[in-house]
């Protein structure tokens, strides 16, 4: 057969299968579905664009807020201020330490002065003088027993020494005029006392 006859035969064989009303309803349903999908996509796109605009505004606000305001110093200036504050802090700590040391030394001196004042309050000069006089009298008595008898002037200055010889019983008068050294004077006195 010829090609045209075959095509006609194929179309006629398909004619019972083809239902124009059903095809029309399928096409209408497909168009409705396409329109609904297009409407849904358009709505989603509008929502996405609105969301994107909000995000752009948020990004711009974040960009502006991330910039350092004019009233806030730069990073270098801030570091310089921090270093200066650290230096001031160290100076203050040193000053405080010096002041605490000074206070401690003043407190120690105050304690020492209080102890001295307490000692002076308890000190009895008359009793101390009496002890010294008693000690002086005792020393004079010992010197006399050893053979030495000092002679003082009216002002209490030693003028001469009377030396009693223990063996011969002689009495020697030795002037205490300071012409001999203390060592030589002592040696001379002991020599006379033991002669």
């Amino acid at each position: 057969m010829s090609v045209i006859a075959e095509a006609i035969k194929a179309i006629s064989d398909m004619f019972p299968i083809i239902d124009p009303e059903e095809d029309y309803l399928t096409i209408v349903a497909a168009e409705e579905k396409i329109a609904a999908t297009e409407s849904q996509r358009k709505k989603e796109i509008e929502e996405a664009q609105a969301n994107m605009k909000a995000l752009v505004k948020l990004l711009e606000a974040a960009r502006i807020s991330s910039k350092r305001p004019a009233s806030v110093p730069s990073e270098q200036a801030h570091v310089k201020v921090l270093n200066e504050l650290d230096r001031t802090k160290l100076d203050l700590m040193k000053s405080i330490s010096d002041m605490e040391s000074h206070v401690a030394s003043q407190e120690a001196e105050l304690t020492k002065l209080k102890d001295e004042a307490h000692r002076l309050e308890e000190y009895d000069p008359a009793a101390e003088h009496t002890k010294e006089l008693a000690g002086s009298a005792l020393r004079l008595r010992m010197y006399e027993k050893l053979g030495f008898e000092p002679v003082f002037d009216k002002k209490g200055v030693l003028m001469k020494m009377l030396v009693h010889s223990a063996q011969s019983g002689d009495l020697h008068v030795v002037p205490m005029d300071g012409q001999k050294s203390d060592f030589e004077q002592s040696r001379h006195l002991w020599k006379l006392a033991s002669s």
Side-chain angles (χ1 to χ4, degrees):
M1 294 204 292
S2 77
V3 175
I4 294 179
E6 281 183 22
I8 291 173
K9 181 166 183 329
I11 288 173
S12 356
D13 287 343
M14 290 183 60
F15 189 67
I17 299 174
I18 295 176
D19 181 12
E21 189 176 319
E22 188 179 322
D23 288 343
Y24 173 75
L25 290 176
T26 302
I27 290 172
V28 168
E31 284 179 353
E32 286 177 0
K33 183 150 179 114
I34 289 171
T37 302
E38 187 177 324
S39 172
Q40 180 67 26
R41 284 187 186 160
K42 189 175 181 182
K43 184 178 177 186
E44 288 174 359
I45 288 172
E46 286 173 358
E47 287 176 2
Q49 285 177 341
N51 193 17
M52 187 177 76
K53 285 180 182 178
L55 289 174
V56 166
K57 286 181 182 177
L58 185 63
L59 175 65
E60 188 61 28
R63 183 179 295 130
I64 290 170
S65 69
S66 70
K67 290 182 181 177
R68 189 177 301 272
S71 62
V72 176
S74 67
E75 184 177 350
Q76 294 83 8
H78 184 68
V79 168
K80 185 177 178 182
V81 168
L82 285 178
N83 288 338
E84 187 62 33
L85 289 174
D86 284 343
R87 203 172 7 263
T88 302
K89 176 183 171 186
L90 291 174
D91 290 344
L92 287 173
M93 287 172 61
K94 184 180 182 306
S95 296
I96 289 170
S97 176
D98 291 346
M99 292 300 267
E100 286 175 346
S101 298
H102 181 70
V103 166
S105 69
Q106 292 295 318
E107 286 176 347
E109 185 176 347
L110 178 64
T111 302
K112 180 180 166 187
L113 291 173
K114 282 182 178 179
D115 291 344
E116 180 71 15
H118 183 63
R119 187 184 65 75
L120 289 174
E121 286 172 359
E122 292 178 352
Y123 176 71
D124 184 7
E128 192 67 30
H129 184 64
T130 304
K131 286 180 188 176
E132 286 177 13
L133 288 177
S136 296
L138 182 61
R139 277 193 295 278
L140 285 174
R141 184 79 179 129
M142 286 173 55
Y143 291 147
E144 287 175 5
K145 290 284 186 186
L146 291 171
F148 302 103
E149 187 177 334
V151 177
F152 298 96
D153 67 2
K154 293 179 182 177
K155 295 180 182 177
V157 176
L158 179 63
M159 296 302 293
K160 55 187 165 184
M161 183 72 73
L162 302 176
V163 181
H164 298 278
S165 174
Q167 292 182 6
S168 67
D170 294 337
L171 178 65
H172 304 278
V173 177
V174 179
M176 302 300 284
D177 51 11
Q179 291 181 358
K180 294 181 181 179
S181 71
D182 288 346
F183 176 73
E184 290 173 350
Q185 191 74 32
S186 237
R187 197 167 155 204
H188 178 64
L189 290 172
W190 280 108
K191 185 177 179 184
L192 291 175
S194 61
S195 64

